[in-house]
Amino acid sequence: MFRTTLAGLLAHKLRLLLTSLAITLGVGFIAGTFVLTDTLQAGFSQKFAADADKVDVVVLAKDDALRESVLAAVRKVPGVRDAQPVVAGAAALIGRDGKAVGDVPTAGVSIPAGRLTVTAGRAPASDDEAVLDRNTAKAQGFSVGGTISVLDHENARHEFRLVGLFDVGVDQDLAYRGAVDFTAAAARRMTGEKGYREIDAVTAGPSPERLRDVVASAVGPSADVKTGRQRADQLAQRAGTDTRFLTVGLLLFGVVALLVAALVIYNTFNILVAQRMREMALLRCIGATRRQVFGSIVLESAVVGLISSVAGLLIGLGLGAAAILVIGRLGTDLPGGTARLTPQTIVIGLATGILVTVGAALLPARTATRVPPIAALRTQVEEHTFRAGVVRVVFAALFGLAGAGLTAAAVLMPPGETGLMVVMAGGVLVFFAVLILGPVLVRPLSGLAGWLPGRLFGVPGRLAVDNSRRNPKRAATTTVALTIGVTLMTFMSVLTATVRATVGDELDRQFPADYLVAAQSGTVPRSVADALRARPELASVTEFRAKDGTLNGDEDQIGTVTQSSLGTAVKLQATSGTLDGFGHGQVALNESTAKNLGVGVGDTVTIGGSKGEAKARVVAVLSSDLSLLPSVTVPEQDFQRYFGAVDDAQILVDRKDGVPAETAHRVVDDATRAYPAVKVGSTTEIRSQFEGAFDSMLMIVTGLLGLAIVISLLGIANTLSLSVHERTRESALLRALGLTRPQLRGMLSVEALVLGLVGALVGVVLGTVYGWAATQTLRDDISFRLPVTQILLFIVASALAGVLAAVLPARRAARASIVGSLASA
């Protein structure tokens, strides 16, 4: 039986290739994920190890920054050859456009020369020299030998000579913000930091562990003391946590791909068993037992799984290497390296591929053992009819009712993460119900999907529709693989479209302004609003101010907004009460603050500021969503009484009707030109950035789910290819009766088209329903959107892809000899 099984595999190489390709892609994705994350983790470990070699003992601040006295104490410890402090704070770099770089201030640091990885030039030697991280220098066009401008903690401008570029290494905060390195004295002056973030010590002879204990005794319990190796391991563990999140996220898509691949394998072996019924019966006639027949099918699946898994590991290695290459080309500071397959990845890849393949083949193998030996005498393969049994209907009803119940309960729950998880659980149960009922549903759905093609393509079209309905169990298993991918893509499309619309509507409703003026750090001088208000091109200028104060004795942020803008430029949504006539002695609270305090409209609270305390009556509770206001809002005159003269936190600006957007933008830019830290953003640009982020996320998810779609299309191609072989006699008879080769090809193409449409229609319905249900768990006020264009594209793409999958099987069927096919059947 072993030799017979291997001989059968070698005799049908194309069948072996098509069968193994689905598992190969699934294993390849999972292996590629591990290759990518293993390589990144190895790169992190190498960098951490390199950093650990540069310092023997690290003194870290527990709560407050380390004081000068701690540095002096470390330097006095016997056995310390050198101890250098690390300063870290904010020091905004000014770009070529005269504005502070980035959305958050650039980091101002002082890293000891022994730890600073200089990639060009040298480290700063005097207080008027600086070194810039290489990515920021490249993005802003700065080069060694030039001059850079940096804002200190009071937004005063300072010039520095750029003497070098450096690599931020594994510090992801510095990689995100960008960093300017100074001498220790200059760093403290620029950032305003009074102490140090850490102190790095180098031993003069004692082991790092012994020196660590001595230093710990010298500095006392106010600091945390570690060896350089311990600190490197701690940072590596944090980086590993981030890498694990990446691994889990990507593996979810790999699991979806393998699930689809398992369905394809199951369907393939089902067809193979049906096609080889005579072969199995002949084996039984010459003495093969049921156990041997079962074993031969399982052995065949194990060989296919092994070959597929090995190929998948090689493809995964290529995918991981390509991802690492892309990361390097993007200029990120993520440490890469040479892609390699670790023993863990090899074991996981082989075990996953083999187990999934063998598991998918068990039921077909069990079916093969039921073939009676008398079937060897038949000249025609028996056409199995399908009947929906009571057990199938009962299980489908149980899963469907449980899923529908969970979904309804989730929609009725208060918005939150729990509701979303319950919706997901309900969706999984409903999908199982659809999977169980698939053979029952596929007949009417095939008739619906094939109604138009059956009329457009004449006799071949009608034959194709009949063929798609002939074996509903096989058709359902074939289409369910496609259904999974389309369901998930439709779900994501509905979810992102709804969230995008909800956020956009909220922004339009609450802050319909053209421009937002805000400081990268600190506040906006009052003179900016005065200058803007004097310009005739602008219709309104709304100022927001905020300061830390107290509410009923607890620390909270108190804010105000230009009184004349309430109800016009700023339309705040009150869940209770009103802001009409908002004036002296009144206050508005956001929902969460009011709930935490247990107060509502009409209650009195105590507000405290730098100028004293006062009582105020709550007149409105405001929606907390997307509000630029802090949790406590008071009238302008009361805010002045609580805190005195305060600069603006941010300013909203509207242009007059008829004024070109470019002109108004230039006016706002001119008013802020003297203040590099004050930046101008258009609400249109902000919305565009937000929508761009959502579009990018949708594109990434669609691309990853596209793997499941590709595998499901391979399943359609595989099913059609094997079905062509199974229906050799039928196709020959049709040709003998006058069906031409193009008509035969058209028949098989229409059959694939119908299968693709059935899978897409079910997926669109499930994805739309559960996309809607998921949006109901996000918040109460949702602007639901159905991305009709995208959904139609999914349906059309699925149909066309099904036709494309049928090209080779249809070509093979059309080229077969009529006489030869009749003789071999």
Side-chain angles (χ1 to χ4, degrees), residues 41 44 48 60-61 170-173 197-198 224 226 230-246:
Q41 187 59 41
F44 275 119
F48 287 129
L60 301 166
V170 293
D171 194 324
Q172 295 306 301
D173 179 60
R197 186 174 72 173
E198 69 179 68
D224 189 14
K226 299 180 180 294
Q230 287 176 324
R231 177 60 171 164
D233 292 342
Q234 182 185 44
L235 293 175
Q237 186 176 6
R238 290 180 188 172
T241 301
D242 294 338
T243 306
R244 280 193 294 275
F245 278 122
L246 174 65

Side-chain angles (χ1 to χ4, degrees), residues 603-781:
D603 293 332
T604 301
V605 295
T606 302
I607 299 175
S610 57
K611 301 291 185 180
E613 292 185 346
K615 299 287 186 180
R617 184 169 59 89
V618 179
V619 296
V621 175
L622 307 177
S623 173
S624 302
D625 298 319
L626 297 171
S627 178
L628 295 178
L629 289 167
S631 54
V632 183
T633 302
V634 298
E636 280 186 285
Q637 64 269 31
D638 286 357
F639 186 85
Q640 178 92 8
R641 183 158 55 93
Y642 295 141
F643 299 103
V646 174
D647 284 336
D648 299 324
Q650 48 200 344
I651 305 170
L652 291 180
V653 182
D654 271 319
R655 58 188 171 93
K656 279 188 178 178
D657 293 338
V659 176
E662 297 80 8
T663 302
H665 204 305
R666 189 164 55 249
V667 167
V668 180
D669 285 339
D670 290 342
T672 62
R673 197 174 305 281
Y675 307 100
V678 177
K679 308 185 75 172
V680 179
S682 165
T683 51
T684 303
E685 294 171 359
I686 295 171
R687 188 176 286 104
S688 297
Q689 291 174 358
F690 178 81
E691 291 179 351
F694 264 84
D695 289 338
S696 298
M697 180 183 71
L698 182 60
M699 188 180 300
I700 292 171
V701 171
T702 302
L704 293 174
L705 291 176
L707 178 65
I709 299 292
V710 170
I711 294 174
S712 63
L713 293 177
L714 286 173
I716 293 177
N718 203 9
T719 300
L720 286 174
S721 179
L722 294 169
S723 181
V724 164
H725 177 72
E726 180 181 321
R727 299 190 319 225
T728 300
R729 183 184 180 89
E730 175 189 319
S731 298
L733 283 172
L734 288 172
R735 291 287 313 284
L737 291 172
L739 201 69
T740 64
R741 285 184 176 181
Q743 286 178 321
L744 182 60
R745 286 197 298 267
M747 182 188 76
L748 292 172
S749 297
V750 172
E751 184 178 344
L753 171 70
V754 171
L755 291 176
L757 283 174
V758 169
L761 289 174
V762 176
V764 163
V765 171
L766 288 175
T768 300
V769 170
Y770 279 91
W772 172 83
T775 61
Q776 303 308 302
T777 67
L778 299 180
R779 49 176 287 182
D780 291 324
D781 186 16

